[in-house]
Amino acid sequence: MYGSGKAAISLAIIAPDIDPSEIEEKVTGWSAHPSENLSPTQISLDDGGNINTGLRIYTDGSKTEKGVGAAFCVLTDVNITHRWSTRLSLINIVFQAEILALLKAMEHAVTLPTQQLTILVDNQASINSAANPKSHNSIARKIFK
């Protein structure tokens, strides 16, 4: 079970072990022109703990003595409409799991019909990395675009 208490549900593992080098490589330069930086309405570090209606995607990454995992689930009001999870290599770190969960949530979000949605992430480091156009993390750059 992967969860932070926000949406603690059992998620089946659907992908094989992933090596850290497969999900993170260092890149340099700008991922986008500085004028295309995120606006305050696109990203917020406010606590979203009281958001419990509408379309929401909860992400989480975790590491225990049993393994490392990344997951997200989509909720429409109180119904879970989609879930995704994967197990990563034991040498992966929590940040890699968190940012991978955010990337997969973003990739899923763009497939949904156009509507307002909220992605709730409990890892400030992954949010900051994804919002930084000069991030060295290749996954963060994919999220930024």
Side-chain angles (χ1 to χ4, degrees):
M1 180 188 299
Y2 299 105
S4 64
K6 292 184 287 192
I9 56 175
S10 179
L11 297 174
I13 296 170
I14 60 171
D17 286 349
I18 299 173
D19 186 85
S21 63
E22 294 177 31
I23 63 170
E24 185 172 4
E25 64 183 58
K26 186 175 179 179
V27 290
T28 59
W30 291 90
S31 63
H33 189 273
S35 66
E36 297 172 342
N37 287 344
L38 296 172
S39 72
T41 60
Q42 292 174 291
I43 191 167
S44 170
L45 296 179
D46 292 339
D47 182 0
N50 60 356
I51 298 173
N52 55 15
T53 59
L55 184 61
R56 301 167 324 279
I57 301 177
Y58 291 87
T59 70
D60 197 29
S62 61
K63 182 172 188 170
T64 68
E65 62 281 347
K66 294 182 180 182
V68 182
F72 76 85
C73 67
V74 180
L75 279 84
T76 304
D77 294 319
V78 296
N79 299 314
I80 296 173
T81 59
H82 184 81
R83 5 177 141 186
W84 172 88
S85 66
T86 191
R87 180 182 303 265
L88 288 83
S89 170
L90 281 171
I91 58 176
N92 286 105
I93 60 174
V94 173
F95 173 77
Q96 292 168 326
E98 291 278 1
I99 201 146
L100 179 62
L102 178 55
L103 173 66
K104 295 300 182 180
M106 293 290 294
E107 289 174 350
H108 181 73
V110 299
T111 69
L112 299 173
T114 304
Q115 60 182 303
Q116 183 174 347
L117 65 90
T118 302
I119 299 177
L120 296 131
V121 179
D122 67 354
N123 183 276
Q124 190 170 350
S126 60
I127 295 169
N128 290 339
S129 184
N132 179 358
K134 291 188 84 174
S135 175
H136 293 288
N137 184 286
S138 60
I139 293 178
R141 287 173 168 251
K142 289 178 185 176
I143 295 167
F144 184 86
K145 288 182 179 186

